């Protein structure tokens, strides 16, 4: 029986050693993932900020030279670029979520303005034959995280545009 115990003890020690090595591999993979996400989000953020900046310049300089519809389209480009930048920033939040360090930035949000902005951003995605209605009555300001609320609304709108073939949204 002492040989059995010695054999079992050896098995347990080998199992512990394998478990320890697997944990090290998991930690290395996690570091590589975090490094990749940080590099990738930086590489994506730089051109997105340039798009936002150039769009802002165009909006400022071309206001009186563009037709109203073209100007609105340019505003939609800017809003969509801002939404994409927000999503890129969310990639970095993955590591914060995993670490339990998510920060909520509460502010007073004009929900009508936010819904109008999101609606304008997805307008070009609505299929032919589908009516998009974005009538929101004036309401009191809402205390919430504006970026997270924008993401919720954009996800709802994107889902609606992707699944609605006839009728209205």
């Amino acid at each position: 029986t002492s040989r059995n115990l010695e054999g079992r003890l050896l098995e347990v020690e080998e199992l512990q050693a394998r478990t320890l090595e697997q944990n090290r591999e998991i930690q290395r993979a996690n570091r590589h993932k975090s490094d990749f996400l940080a590099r990738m989000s930086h590489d994506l953020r730089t051109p997105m900020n340039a798009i936002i900046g150039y769009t802002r310049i165009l909006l400022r300089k071309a206001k009186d030279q563009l037709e109203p519809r073209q100007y609105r389209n340019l505003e939609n480009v800017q809003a969509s670029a801002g939404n994409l930048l927000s999503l890129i920033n969310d990639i970095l939040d993955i590591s914060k979520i995993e670490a339990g360090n998510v920060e909520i930035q509460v502010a007073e949000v004009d929900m009508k303005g936010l819904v109008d902005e999101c609606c304008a951003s997805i307008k070009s995605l609505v299929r032919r034959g589908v009516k998009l209605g974005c009538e929101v009555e004036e309401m009191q300001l809402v205390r919430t995280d504006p970026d997270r609320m924008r993401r919720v609304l954009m996800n709802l709108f994107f889902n609606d545009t992707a699944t609605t073939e006839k009728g209205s949204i």
Side-chain angles (χ1 to χ4, degrees):
T1 60
S2 73
R3 279 190 179 180
N4 267 350
L5 284 176
E6 286 175 13
R8 291 294 228 183
L9 185 57
L10 233 88
E11 287 177 24
V12 168
E13 288 173 354
E14 287 174 9
L15 186 59
Q16 285 176 329
R18 280 196 311 256
T19 303
L20 187 60
E21 182 56 32
Q22 287 173 344
N23 282 339
R24 286 186 193 126
E25 286 180 33
I26 290 170
Q27 289 172 348
R28 269 193 302 272
N30 209 17
R31 277 193 307 274
H32 289 304
K33 178 193 69 170
S34 294
D35 291 345
F36 170 75
L37 289 174
R39 249 188 337 273
M40 183 185 69
S41 66
H42 177 268
D43 291 346
L44 292 172
R45 244 188 287 183
T46 301
M48 188 53 55
N49 278 319
I51 290 168
I52 291 169
Y54 287 125
T55 307
R56 188 177 302 127
I57 291 168
L58 282 172
L59 282 167
R60 202 176 28 227
K61 292 188 176 197
K63 184 168 181 123
D64 298 328
Q65 298 172 0
L66 294 175
E67 295 174 20
R69 182 172 183 218
Q70 291 172 324
Y71 189 79
R72 279 192 313 275
N73 287 341
L74 200 53
E75 287 176 321
N76 291 342
V77 168
Q78 184 178 34
S80 294
N83 289 331
L84 187 54
L85 181 61
S86 178
L87 292 172
I88 291 167
N89 288 331
D90 287 347
I91 293 171
L92 286 180
D93 283 349
I94 291 171
S95 58
K96 290 179 184 177
I97 290 169
E98 289 173 348
N101 295 331
V102 176
E103 295 176 17
I104 303 295
Q105 303 295 323
V106 177
E108 303 260 324
V109 176
D110 170 19
M111 288 302 293
K112 179 178 177 9
L114 188 57
V115 168
D116 289 343
E117 174 191 319
C118 293
C119 198
S121 292
I122 60 104
K123 202 173 219 172
S124 64
L125 301 177
V126 176
R127 293 180 179 154
R128 205 175 288 253
V130 175
K131 181 182 180 227
L132 178 65
C134 290
E135 295 86 31
V136 177
E137 294 181 17
E138 290 293 331
M139 60 175 69
Q140 291 182 336
L141 296 177
V142 175
R143 290 191 49 76
T144 188
D145 185 312
D147 292 331
R148 292 198 180 352
M149 180 57 74
R150 179 178 291 105
R151 267 182 255 138
V152 167
L153 291 171
M154 289 302 290
N155 285 336
L156 289 171
F157 284 144
F158 280 130
N159 290 344
D160 285 346
T161 59
T163 59
T164 305
E165 295 179 18
K166 292 183 201 176
S168 62
I169 299 172

